[in-house]
Amino acid sequence: MKKRHRIISSLSLSLLLAGTVLSGCAQNDQSNAQSSGQPKDTGSSQQKEQKATEPVPIRWVRAANEQDPQKDRILLELQKRTNTKIEIVSIPSDQFANKINLMMASGETFDIATVDPGKTLNEWAKNGLILSYDDYLKSGKYPHINAIVNSEVYKGFKIDGKSYYKPLGLAPMQWGWVIRTDWLENLGLSMPTTLEEFYNVAKAFKEKDPDKNGKADTYGVYTRASGMSDPSITQLGQFISRAHAVAGRTDNWVAQPDGSITRYEVSQNAKDSAAFFRKLVKEDLINKDWLSLKPDGAQGPESDDFGAGKYGIAATTKPDLFLQKAKSVNPNAKIAYLPPLKGMNGVPANLGHSGGFWRGNIIPKTSKNPEKALELIEYTLTKEGRELTLFGINGTHFTGVKEEGGKRIFTVNKAEADKDWDTKKNGYLYPLAWGAMNYFEYAYIPIKESNFNYDEAFKKLQPWIPTEMAEGAFTDWFATNAKYTMAPPLMNVFDDKLLGDQTKLRSTFGEGWLKAIMGDDFEGAWAELQKKWLAAGGQDVITYGQELYKKNK
């Protein structure tokens, strides 16, 4: 899974204004040409019909493209189905920000670009260099696009109340939790559903010999925090904080009982969450070396320890690996998905929200065929279009599909896939499955099936996987995670005043949080943390954010 970046490259106002002037001149010339009278009808009806059915050129700008629309059979099929002739303007990733800015400022003609949100995007919109989706959505011809840009999770992208940006839907949380259910059975315990039950289980896993080997050699939970400027956002830290506030964590906003919002860092939720984490640390219910261990994507050592029966609750992206290692030591070992906990004071079980996007599509003012560009984007969001851009052509790149347990399982024709893309680099998932009009690996978001409610569709995503992925015990892992996604207030609002100095704010909170967790005076350390965080710019961020929320509520 590629990581999301932001294009925050600077573009001088003079260049932006130049782009606006150039674009304006082009419009004036067009208006003058039209006002001089309609062209004479000199063509035959046959010529008109032929012209009307000719493929419409679509010039699409994106970073690091590898697929050739003149040779790639999937892109050829996409063009056939949408009656388009696609030209992909590929720019190296490290040059993309500067080159797309120059293209926009110079008024170069293209129809779609896949870009990042942020300050530059806001400038393009305010200087009239990109088109608003809203004017085209009124026709009702693009219901998938309409559902996305007007969803709750993406409404923060609107600029002055208008939609200029269609995010590429991103898979939900890859991280989830597993628990040794055989240990629960040995101790006569149930799956924990609340913070209190989670604490009791972790304590029992340490103190009551859950593996029945007669030794005091186990503990509850594993986590890692070394190298993190803010150790409060370990997987364990977030698991706990979300039980105190929806999407509770550093950088996020949380709702207050009176209907207002504030930053998580200064909320009572954050303090209560820290106190709970501190209790786990002080009672040795987590691994003692958690502060010296850096996060490890491969999860080798922690899966080894889980398999060896040293602890019973783990955060992972590789649940089948953890099960495999546990069974290699104890064939009777059993593990299961541990859902997020029901929260304090009525907070629902939630996994927060990743923000759900990686880059997005814009339509520049210079586009010659904006409606056709929208038709192309719309098609890729349909079930038929998603199938094509995920696994290829039915009967060629895959030879069969079966529905099983809420999943669609594809039999991939590897020999044919090898002909159209670099499968050694990308595997047998078509490269434009991510980073084109979608960014969902191995899944379909059922927007139409959810009455064009994107937020609900996101929670009901359907795994679309090759046969190899259908063999594990946790084949619906990220789909299960998706059910618990909930967005915080002011998500995806890219405003410098709202964000503040993120690096400074994060490190200030992280240092104070750790002092409160590890020290002897929790109350004193927390009070000191609050003063320092507010003085580091937090108070200005809160004041601005609360006013913005009231204005746009």
Side-chain angles (χ1 to χ4, degrees):
M1 174 77 69
K2 310 289 188 295
K3 290 185 179 177
R4 181 179 83 167
H5 331 263
R6 294 181 186 160
I7 301 174
I8 312 290
S9 296
S10 61
L11 178 61
S12 70
L13 184 59
S14 59
L15 279 176
L16 281 168
L17 291 175
T20 307
V21 171
L22 286 169
S23 180
C25 290
Q27 273 200 327
N28 289 338
D29 290 343
Q30 185 179 7
S31 298
N32 292 337
Q34 289 175 344
S35 63
S36 63
Q38 296 294 328
K40 294 181 179 179
D41 185 7
T42 58
S44 67
S45 59
Q46 183 177 0
Q47 288 174 323
K48 288 180 180 178
E49 185 177 344
Q50 181 180 357
K51 188 173 182 180
T53 58
E54 288 177 356
V56 178
I58 295 294
R59 197 162 186 249
W60 173 21
V61 181
R62 68 186 302 264
N65 177 67
E66 297 178 356
Q67 304 309 114
D68 185 348
Q70 296 184 35
K71 298 178 181 179
D72 180 309
R73 286 178 292 174
I74 295 173
L75 276 175
L76 288 171
E77 180 66 19
L78 177 62
Q79 293 171 90
K80 177 183 176 182
R81 294 184 188 182
T82 57
N83 194 35
T84 55
K85 184 176 181 181
I86 297 174
E87 174 195 356
I88 299 180
V89 180
S90 180
I91 301 173
S93 294
D94 60 350
Q95 302 173 31
F96 188 83
N98 289 332
K99 289 198 173 183
I100 188 69
N101 279 337
L102 290 173
M103 292 175 74
M104 295 292 289
S106 66
E108 185 169 340
T109 300
F110 57 98
D111 300 287
I112 304 173
T114 305
V115 304
D116 285 303
K119 186 176 181 180
T120 301
L121 177 71
N122 292 353
E123 290 176 344
W124 290 342
K126 291 177 180 179
N127 285 281
L129 300 182
I130 54 178
L131 299 175
S132 166
Y133 284 95
D134 301 286
D135 295 336
Y136 297 94
L137 297 179
K138 295 174 184 176
S139 67
K141 293 192 295 184
Y142 317 107
H144 288 81
I145 297 175
N146 183 64
I148 293 171
V149 300
N150 287 304
S151 65
E152 184 68 24
V153 70
Y154 295 141
K155 70 179 183 180
F157 287 120
K158 290 180 182 285
I159 302 170
D160 296 331
K162 292 186 176 182
S163 300
Y164 294 89
Y165 190 73
K166 188 215 66 81
L168 277 56
L170 178 67
M173 292 285 295
Q174 299 298 303
W175 287 89
W177 287 81
V178 290
I179 187 169
R180 289 285 298 256
T181 51
D182 55 325
W183 286 14
L184 290 175
E185 292 170 4
N186 287 344
L187 299 175
L189 297 172
S190 301
M191 182 73 74
T193 61
T194 66
L195 278 168
E196 182 181 6
E197 291 173 358
F198 180 80
Y199 166 77
N200 290 335
V201 166
K203 190 174 182 67
F205 280 3
K206 178 181 185 292
E207 298 177 350
K208 296 187 177 181
D209 191 21
D211 57 359
K212 299 303 179 184
N213 68 353
K215 300 177 183 179
D217 57 356
T218 58
Y219 60 92
V221 194
Y222 186 101
T223 195
R224 292 169 172 260
S226 179
M228 302 177 72
S229 63
D230 178 10
S232 76
I233 58 171
T234 62
Q235 291 300 323
L236 178 58
Q238 292 188 66
F239 190 70
I240 294 168
S241 63
R242 291 180 192 127
H244 289 87
V246 170
R249 57 153 290 168
T250 309
D251 296 342
N252 281 354
W253 294 81
V254 294
Q256 299 295 285
D258 63 359
S260 65
I261 63 168
T262 191
R263 276 286 287 256
Y264 171 76
E265 294 89 336
V266 298
S267 68
Q268 183 65 39
N269 316 95
K271 183 178 180 182
D272 293 343
S273 175
F276 186 90
F277 194 103
R278 184 174 187 269
K279 182 163 65 170
L280 297 181
V281 171
K282 295 297 184 181
E283 296 183 20
D284 291 331
L285 303 186
I286 68 173
N287 49 307
K288 293 182 180 181
D289 56 356
W290 69 283
L291 278 174
S292 64
L293 297 174
K294 291 184 178 180
D296 171 24
Q299 296 191 278
E302 58 206 86
S303 60
D304 287 341
D305 285 355
F306 186 85
K310 292 184 179 181
Y311 68 99
I313 304 173
T316 181
T317 61
K318 309 175 190 304
D320 285 300
L321 175 65
F322 279 62
L323 176 60
Q324 175 190 342
K325 290 190 177 182
K327 282 188 170 294
S328 69
V329 174
N330 178 2
N332 296 318
K334 293 189 287 186
I335 74 172
Y337 179 85
L338 173 61
L341 304 172
K342 295 176 184 176
M344 305 295 291
N345 301 317
V347 174
N350 75 94
L351 282 175
H353 209 300
S354 65
F357 81 99
W358 182 88
R359 292 189 169 171
N361 304 126
I362 59 166
I363 310 292
K365 188 178 181 179
T366 58
S367 171
K368 292 183 177 180
N369 300 294
E371 293 194 57
K372 197 63 180 178
L374 290 170
E375 285 180 28
L376 174 63
I377 296 172
E378 178 72 16
Y379 177 75
T380 66
L381 298 169
T382 65
K383 195 169 189 176
E384 182 182 279
R386 185 56 178 154
E387 182 179 88
L388 176 66
T389 56
L390 195 64
F391 287 107
I393 301 168
N394 193 351
T396 303
H397 299 97
F398 63 94
T399 56
V401 182
K402 65 177 180 178
E403 303 274 348
E404 185 178 283
K407 299 178 284 291
R408 294 190 83 203
I409 302 171
F410 291 75
T411 301
V412 175
N413 186 337
K414 296 182 178 180
E416 291 299 321
D418 288 339
K419 297 177 183 179
D420 282 307
W421 69 87
D422 186 349
T423 54
K424 291 182 179 179
K425 178 180 178 181
N426 298 292
Y428 289 96
L429 186 72
Y430 183 58
L432 293 186
W434 65 268
M437 313 301 179
N438 290 277
Y439 194 139
F440 242 85
E441 296 178 342
Y442 303 113
Y444 167 66
I445 310 174
I447 299 175
K448 180 180 179 180
E449 295 83 348
S450 301
N451 295 318
F452 297 100
N453 182 324
Y454 182 84
D455 298 294
E456 288 302 312
F458 192 82
K459 295 180 180 180
K460 300 174 183 176
L461 70 89
Q462 183 182 29
W464 284 12
I465 55 179
T467 50
E468 292 86 349
M469 290 180 64
E471 296 172 358
F474 296 91
T475 55
D476 57 353
W477 180 255
F478 59 87
T480 302
N481 279 343
K483 296 176 182 177
Y484 296 101
T485 53
M486 295 186 71
L490 297 180
M491 170 154 271
N492 290 326
V493 178
F494 291 85
D495 184 317
D496 288 345
K497 291 182 180 179
L498 185 71
L499 300 175
D501 186 338
Q502 287 183 303
T503 301
K504 186 176 181 180
L505 290 171
R506 287 171 184 166
S507 62
T508 300
F509 184 81
E511 290 171 9
W513 182 89
L514 188 59
K515 185 176 179 180
I517 295 298
M518 303 303 293
D520 295 327
D521 182 10
F522 177 79
E523 291 294 337
W526 196 261
E528 180 184 3
L529 161 60
Q530 297 296 293
K531 290 179 182 179
K532 287 184 176 180
W533 190 87
L534 291 169
Q539 183 59 65
D540 292 338
V541 167
I542 290 172
T543 300
Y544 182 79
Q546 289 176 337
E547 288 301 318
L548 183 67
Y549 182 73
K550 288 179 184 178
K551 180 181 177 182
N552 295 284
K553 191 174 180 181

